[in-house]
Amino acid sequence: MTIPADGSPAEYAYTDGNALAGPLSEVFAVDVTAATSRCAHCGHTGPVAGLRVYERAPGLVARCAGCGQVVLRFVRARETIWLDMRGTVALAIPVNGS
């Protein structure tokens, strides 16, 4: 967990995008943390594993490492997974094969 150096309260602490690996494996058959995402707000491109993930919400909130805007929200309810990716312009997922 990373706590901001500017003395912000602990609720602003975050982990990296690897925290999404387990939850997203319930939805996708590939490791999405290895995918490259592009932020809809600033155009920053980088691996999903590089997103800043905040866990002190009703679910996981992943923010862009470049501008801090929300890129992805993941909420798991009893029988439903809610995945909001409106902050992502594109998601490039590497696959094996030709």
Side-chain angles (χ1 to χ4, degrees):
M1 181 176 303
T2 303
I3 297 177
D6 65 2
S8 299
E11 68 250 19
Y12 296 114
Y14 61 89
T15 58
D16 67 22
N18 288 306
L20 297 168
L24 288 177
S25 72
E26 294 184 69
V27 179
F28 296 99
V30 297
D31 179 9
V32 178
T33 61
T36 301
S37 65
R38 181 177 308 133
C39 177
H41 304 282
C42 73
H44 178 78
T45 300
V48 171
L51 297 173
R52 294 179 176 178
V53 179
Y54 296 83
E55 301 178 77
R56 292 184 177 254
L60 302 172
V61 176
R63 293 182 173 272
C64 175
C67 69
Q69 292 293 319
V70 174
V71 173
L72 180 148
R73 293 175 188 89
F74 180 98
V75 176
R76 182 154 194 347
R78 179 175 287 182
E79 296 179 10
T80 305
I81 292 174
W82 295 86
L83 184 58
D84 176 355
M85 296 180 61
R86 75 182 99 180
T88 304
V89 171
L91 189 63
I93 301 170
V95 293
N96 293 330
S98 52

